[in-house]
Amino acid sequence: MKALLIVAHGSRREASNEEIRELTRSVAGRAAGRYDQVSCAFLELADPNIPDGLRQLIQAGVGEITVMPYFLSAGRHVAEDIPGEIDLVRGEFPDVEIGLAPYLGLAAGVPDLLLQQAAVPGIM
Amino acid sequence: MKALLIVAHGSRREASNEEIRELTRSVAGRAAGRYDQVSCAFLELADPNIPDGLRQLIQAGVGEITVMPYFLSAGRHVAEDIPGEIDLVRGEFPDVEIGLAPYLGLAAGVPDLLLQQAAVPGIM
């Protein structure tokens, strides 16, 4: 089984974390044929954390996981913290394949998405 | 003249700020017919700040500006800080139209972009 784990920063505002869970459901609804499971985890301030998010997938029988950093730029979190937490779980489950995708801000479609979104009627 | 001002958080890592400037150039290259100018500004830690970014556009003759928050979730920065800085400049230039677009994370295309990016060969 293959899974996608969306990793976000996590926030003290529960509404922000709920936004990530809602996004995860939306991605899961489009992932048929690519991933058997789509879930999310948080670097800090919300549950599950990254190791627990990975372990839950592995315990559900997933053998191949892609971690997708839901970040727009490559700070320390993307460059060091997320790879470090992945390595921790790789050590625990050497037979599970865990890959790290490039963070969202690097996606080739970002400039077009930004122009589309700028044309949406504003909030003030 | 119409302009788009991309607003990012700003980082102590100059490479992150440079990524935003590079994105801004990329958006500018695709904005023909929609915006006469595309520039960027930062909430903190990098220049220009948001009021100065708006003033530079206005001093260049722009009469209509769309501010686009380059953020994935709606924390205090998106909900309070950016609108507050816009209001400051609205007070200085009441004849200039300054609109605030919804932040990038709300874009309808985000789930598909995320799935595309998850399929890009990873970094580890």
Side-chain angles (χ1 to χ4, degrees), chain A residues 13 19 74 90 103 122 124, chain B residues 13 19 74 90 100 103 122 124:
Chain A
R13 287 177 71 250
E19 246 184 276
R90 279 187 179 134
Y103 62 97
M124 68 175 266
Chain B
R13 288 179 70 249
E19 248 186 272
R90 280 187 178 134
L100 176 58
Y103 61 98
M124 69 174 266

Side-chain angles (χ1 to χ4, degrees), chain A residues 105 107-116, chain B residues 23 26-28 30:
Chain A
V110 166
D112 284 333
L113 191 73
L114 197 152
L115 278 167
Q116 283 163 29
Chain B
L23 169 73
S26 172
V27 171
R30 293 155 197 257

Side-chain angles (χ1 to χ4, degrees), chain A residues 44-55:
Chain A
E44 55 189 41
L45 303 169
D47 291 321
N49 61 28
I50 299 170
D52 283 346
L54 289 168
R55 290 181 193 120

Side-chain angles (χ1 to χ4, degrees), chain A residues 13 19 26 30 35 68 70 72 74 83 87 90 100 102-103 106-107 109 111-115 117-118 120 122-124, chain B residues 13 19 26 30 35 68 70 72 74 83 87 90 100 102-103 106-107 109 111-114 117-118 120 122-124:
Chain A
R13 287 177 71 250
E19 246 184 276
S26 171
R30 293 155 196 258
Y35 301 101
M68 170 77 227
Y70 189 63
L72 285 175
D87 276 339
R90 279 187 179 134
L100 176 57
Y103 62 97
L106 284 182
D112 284 333
L113 191 73
L114 197 152
L115 278 167
Q117 185 70 348
V120 170
I123 54 179
M124 68 175 266
Chain B
R13 288 179 70 249
E19 248 186 272
S26 172
R30 293 155 197 257
Y35 302 101
M68 170 78 226
Y70 189 63
L72 285 176
D87 275 340
R90 280 187 178 134
L100 176 58
Y103 61 98
L106 285 182
D112 284 334
L113 190 74
L114 197 152
Q117 185 70 348
V120 170
I123 54 179
M124 69 174 266

Side-chain angles (χ1 to χ4, degrees), chain A residues 52-75:
Chain A
D52 283 346
L54 289 168
R55 290 181 193 120
Q56 284 165 16
L57 289 169
I58 293 165
Q59 280 151 16
V62 171
E64 190 181 335
I65 304 171
T66 299
V67 176
M68 170 77 227
Y70 189 63
F71 284 77
L72 285 175
S73 64

Side-chain angles (χ1 to χ4, degrees), chain B residues 91-112:
Chain B
E92 294 171 19
F93 301 95
D95 295 341
V96 175
E97 216 176 293
I98 308 177
L100 176 58
Y103 61 98
L104 189 69
L106 285 182
V110 167
D112 284 334

Side-chain angles (χ1 to χ4, degrees), chain A residues 4 24-38, chain B residues 112 115:
Chain A
L4 177 65
T24 301
R25 288 187 283 273
S26 171
V27 171
R30 293 155 196 258
R34 283 186 272 192
Y35 301 101
D36 303 293
Q37 285 202 43
V38 179
Chain B
D112 284 334
L115 278 167

